[in-house]
Amino acid sequence: MVDGRPGAVWRLVGYGLALVVGTTLATMVLSGVAGAVYAGTGTRLIVHAWAGLAGAALAHLAMLRWIERRGWGFVALAAAAARPRPIAAGALLDALALGLPSAALLPVGALGAERAPDGSWWGTALSQLALLAPAALYEELLVRGYPFQVLREAGGAWPALLLTSAVFGVLHWQNPGATVGSVAIVSLAGVFLGAVLLATGSLWAAFAAHLAWNWTLAGALHAAVSGLPFAAPDYRVVDAGPDWLTGGAWGPEGGAAAAGGMLLAMGWLWRRGGRAARTTDDALHSLDARPDGRGSF
């Protein structure tokens, strides 16, 4: 035990159990609410993402209160981590890392745009945002929230970054059309999101980056997100080149162009955070969040 807390493995096991209990309770409650809404109005509510988010939040609350005896700052969700600048910077960086390489593939014919049935662009974009936001925050809590910080405290930032990114990739293996290559690039995206977390000291910034990535695909490009299709009013971006470059049915995020965009963005983060560092260790620590939750942005 360290400072009266169990070892890292037992804390992660406890988190897993709390996650199962919290998600089960949230699913029961939200399913009841959704059933009542459907019976009264005929409107179907999607509860899966919200139940997962509620379960992860309850698991964090339980672990922070009863095991860690620390506040939300431990998982980079304190008020100091909710500053607009790093949140906006994370979102913009991730949107550009995907959007610019994808846009570059359009004029050369590797990606193509085709007409789709008419619809409300803004209405669809907002509904997609309501669906993507809880899913993105759930995944951030699940992987780069409590587990990341426990691993980081136990073994350092590098092992935490690499292990959680590998888990992040494996979690997408069940998605339609998953391949070894697409899962590897999702793992790279995990490294990217972890770098945003370390550079800003804010899980809110990593969440904003994650959401911007997914919404750029679904809302702006009208393309698949990790193999999952979304509504595409007026137009859709489709694969017209080699899958290794464009991502194929997985969507542009699964191709080498997106991987290149992420690597360039991570290089920018590294240079900004580690310009004065002389060793790899120093560079990593310079990207680390400061105790007050304020990173380099």
Side-chain angles (χ1 to χ4, degrees):
M1 299 182 70
V2 180
D3 296 329
R5 302 182 188 94
V9 172
W10 290 110
R11 289 153 73 193
L12 292 175
V13 170
Y15 172 72
L17 293 174
L19 183 66
V20 171
V21 172
T23 303
T24 300
L25 292 174
T27 301
M28 291 171 59
V29 171
L30 292 177
S31 294
V33 171
V37 169
Y38 180 71
T41 67
T43 301
R44 293 188 180 275
L45 300 179
I46 300 174
V47 303
H48 176 72
W50 288 103
L53 174 57
L58 288 171
H60 275 70
L61 182 62
M63 298 305 294
L64 291 173
R65 180 166 184 174
W66 291 312
I67 303 300
E68 300 296 331
R69 294 182 176 85
R70 291 188 273 197
W72 289 97
F74 177 63
V75 291
L77 287 173
R83 294 175 298 129
R85 185 177 177 183
I87 291 174
L92 180 61
L93 184 63
D94 223 342
L96 292 176
L98 175 64
L100 292 180
S102 298
L105 294 179
L106 287 168
V108 299
L111 289 177
E114 64 179 29
R115 287 199 56 81
D118 293 340
S120 170
W121 192 95
W122 285 107
T124 301
L126 289 174
S127 66
Q128 289 172 346
L129 201 61
L131 179 62
L132 292 169
L137 184 53
Y138 162 65
E139 289 185 357
E140 290 307 305
L141 286 172
L142 182 67
V143 179
R144 278 169 289 277
Y146 184 76
F148 183 95
Q149 299 301 341
V150 170
L151 291 168
R152 178 187 181 191
E153 191 175 68
W158 265 121
L161 185 63
L162 296 177
L163 184 56
T164 56
S165 298
V167 170
F168 184 63
V170 170
L171 288 175
H172 289 76
W173 185 256
Q174 61 184 344
N175 287 30
T179 65
V180 172
S182 64
V183 169
I185 294 178
V186 171
S187 296
L188 178 63
V191 175
F192 183 20
L193 293 169
V196 171
L197 168 60
L198 290 172
T200 62
S202 171
L203 191 61
W204 295 117
F207 156 63
H210 192 151
L211 178 58
W213 178 273
N214 287 349
W215 188 87
T216 298
L217 285 165
L221 297 178
H222 293 177
V225 180
S226 297
L228 301 173
F230 282 80
D234 304 326
Y235 66 90
R236 64 168 57 89
V237 170
V238 296
D239 173 35
D243 289 355
W244 65 266
L245 179 63
T246 65
W250 185 262
E253 65 177 326
M262 282 189 288
L263 289 171
L264 288 174
M266 282 191 285
W268 183 84
L269 278 175
W270 186 267
R271 183 178 180 185
R272 183 181 180 88
R275 187 178 296 126
R278 295 183 178 181
T279 68
T280 302
D281 253 5
D282 288 340
L284 187 60
H285 286 304
S286 73
L287 286 175
D288 248 342
R290 287 163 28 185
D292 62 3
R294 295 177 180 269
S296 60
F297 281 99

